[in-house]
Amino acid sequence: MSEGDPGPGDAGGGGGSFWTSLPTILSAAALLIGAVTTAIVQLRGNGGDDRQASGATGTTQTTSTPGLSQFVAMTRPGGRNYFEGDTMYVKASVPARPVLVLAEGDQPLQDVRMRAHTEWVSGAKDYGIGFVCRYANANSYYLLSVLSGGRYHIVRYRQGKPVSLTGGIQTNGLIEDGANDIDVKCIGSNPTLLTLLVDGKEIETVRDEDGIAEGSVGVRVGTSESVVTCSFRDFTLSSL
């Protein structure tokens, strides 16, 4: 695969790695956008019924948001995101330049859980789909990703430098190509615990002893080959 297999202190392979390159960031308020605190966010298209509910599972408190999506359709050089019904599509149109779509809001988040059904739709077969948490700026955030070929990766970006927290891109026989239910958790700051689950199975939990404290959330799609489009539906975001 063209993105290579990085070592423990490096998040990517050789030059041109789409997963560690500078991303195109789609955000309605430049680069710094928070997400709604103590909320479950439903990915939708335009419109929809407004609904409110609350509940608790263990120590997790959640409150549903009104119907409008926290992701705004945008087009920038390098990619775009758009909606059809209850599905959001993210298209990365420049090789080795992943598209990062940030959720809107007015406050940074700390402990969060994100879930969605994700699918490869068209384009390159060498691709990655990821979730971003603790996004402080383009140089500081966490990325938990599933890649084609049954692979996965968890990366910390700090001062613009990617550091693999999984000892490089890993392979797991539990991850299917094409469509997955991806579930990630970002908890704590000293240390930060980052958990990746795929199709209901825990793939890995890593510890970052000097963690990033808080930030925005989002999704990320990329390829090193040509163009790729992936979709997200049944998206939920909750604070823990």
Side-chain angles (χ1 to χ4, degrees):
M1 294 296 180
S2 57
E3 68 270 29
D5 190 6
D10 187 1
S17 169
F18 75 83
W19 213 235
T20 60
S21 302
L22 179 67
T24 293
I25 300 172
L26 303 183
S27 165
L31 302 182
L32 298 179
I33 289 183
V36 177
T37 305
T38 61
I40 289 181
V41 178
Q42 303 269 346
L43 254 184
R44 297 185 178 183
N46 295 327
D49 297 332
D50 290 351
R51 295 181 294 177
Q52 291 186 333
S54 62
T57 302
T59 59
T60 302
Q61 300 292 327
T62 60
T63 304
S64 66
T65 61
L68 294 178
S69 169
Q70 296 300 303
F71 293 90
V72 175
M74 297 194 72
T75 299
R76 295 257 178 102
R80 63 187 287 245
N81 70 304
Y82 58 96
F83 295 88
E84 291 183 3
D86 61 356
T87 301
M88 182 172 75
Y89 295 85
V90 180
K91 180 178 182 179
S93 55
V94 176
R97 183 154 186 154
V99 171
L100 196 167
V101 185
L102 292 174
E104 288 199 344
D106 57 3
Q107 297 184 45
L109 287 176
Q110 296 177 335
D111 297 348
V112 298
R113 181 177 188 176
M114 286 178 281
R115 290 175 284 184
H117 179 75
T118 67
E119 291 190 33
W120 172 89
V121 176
S122 64
K125 294 298 182 72
D126 181 16
Y127 66 92
I129 301 176
F131 288 78
V132 169
C133 64
R134 308 283 177 88
Y135 181 95
N137 54 57
N139 295 318
S140 178
Y141 60 93
Y142 289 115
L143 175 65
L144 299 91
S145 58
V146 170
L147 294 85
S148 54
R151 298 168 299 157
Y152 69 94
H153 204 187
I154 301 176
V155 181
R156 181 193 68 215
Y157 288 81
R158 178 170 281 154
Q159 296 180 344
K161 296 180 179 179
V163 174
S164 174
L165 300 176
T166 50
I169 295 172
Q170 302 295 330
T171 301
N172 189 301
L174 299 175
I175 301 175
E176 300 291 335
D177 267 355
N180 298 106
D181 292 320
I182 302 178
D183 185 348
V184 304
K185 300 177 186 178
C186 305
I187 302 173
S189 59
N190 190 22
T192 297
L193 298 179
L194 302 163
T195 299
L196 172 65
L197 301 96
V198 179
D199 297 329
K201 303 177 182 67
E202 182 172 333
I203 302 302
E204 186 159 347
T205 295
V206 298
R207 294 168 60 95
D208 185 16
E209 297 297 337
D210 184 20
I212 301 170
E214 62 182 16
S216 307
V217 299
V219 301
R220 182 170 159 169
V221 170
T223 177
S224 59
E225 293 183 349
S226 55
V227 177
V228 70
T229 299
C230 298
S231 67
F232 298 80
R233 63 176 172 82
D234 300 328
F235 181 95
T236 63
L237 163 67
S238 56
S239 64
L240 302 179

